[in-house]
Amino acid sequence: MLFSAAVRRSGPAVRLSHLPLLPRRRLASASGPAFDISNLRIDRIPESRLPSCPPKEELAFGKTFTDHMLSVNYSEGEWSAPRIGPYGDLRISPASSGLHYGLQCFEGLKAYRDHFHPDTVRMFRPDCNMERMSNSMARLAMPAFPQDQFLRCIEELVSLDSPWIPTGEGYSLYIRPTAVSTQPFLGVAASTEVLLYCICSPVGPYYKNGFSPVRLTADEETVRAWPGGTGNNKVGGNYGPTMVPQARANAAGYDQVLWIFGPDGAVTEAGAMNVFFVVTDRETGRRELITPPLDRGDILPGVTRRSILDLCRSWGEIDVTERSPTMAELAVAADEGRLVEAFGTGTAAGGSP
């Protein structure tokens, strides 16, 4: 199903469409004074930096940024008017609680050029990202924001910087909405000042080896997330502690860590990706797609994960199960030749075998 959205055009003549797999949901609005796209202010950069952008084959993930960024401030109980202006550094107090207590969260989504119609730019299920961003902010006691209006502002940003979107399979514009506490306060409390912003980056493959399979090492010592924690939200505190085990994995020749949890050795995630296994059932001979469930609260509800489950269930060609496979179970399946495939999914990495 293709859902096309007509939006105001602040940039080059492009057609911007959404590609949800299910009917698009009505997005929630902020509970208090909110911002509106009708008040959006756009300050264009005098001269684009696009000529200095590396060729797409040389793009390193997340290191090149487009000309503009979107920002909205929350203070004194209300949101300011949204603004798109030149991309640049933030000015923030060294006492900001966002720097001291991890009061920050983010999202990741992509815009693509249509393969057959390059003037058409498509965003994949962005309403799901707005919903997840709202949940992450709520988990950090941040104020609610008007999801539909913020998405429309992001559409304007993407339209304005659409010349930066590379063409070709595997290339896209990575979109990073972020919320961070800017309140200069050293007390441990919910923030009363928040910056909600969005930046964009033209990208190619996430991993250095391109679209080749990644090598994983199972980590039985470090726990990435646990029931009752924040593993089901996209908060910065989930990622910082993974840097040491990730470095150990890289030093040993692996690309990512396969995260294990509990005494039974349940597999949870692969790096920052949701993880899937395709296993042939010993008794029925049918193939089963297995991925860890969301009910414990330690698994990120990935948009790509959700899409794969939606598609596979609609096809009816494979059994789909949300449960936690163990390392022992997978080892037996591999020894018996029943482990057909394993892959990870995420917005940045896409689908990675």
Side-chain angles (χ1 to χ4, degrees), residues 306-319:
R306 179 177 181 171
S307 304
I308 288 174
L309 294 177
D310 288 344
L311 284 172
C312 289
R313 284 174 174 141
S314 69
W315 292 338
E317 299 174 1
I318 187 172
D319 296 331

Side-chain angles (χ1 to χ4, degrees), residues 4 6 8 39 56 70 72 75 87 141 146 152 173 198 247 279 298 305 307 310 314 316 333 342 344 349 351:
S4 298
R8 291 191 301 119
N39 297 321
K56 67 178 185 180
L70 165 68
V72 196
S75 181
Y87 173 89
R152 291 182 65 187
L173 185 72
C198 184
V279 178
D298 60 334
R305 172 191 184 276
S307 304
D310 288 344
S314 69

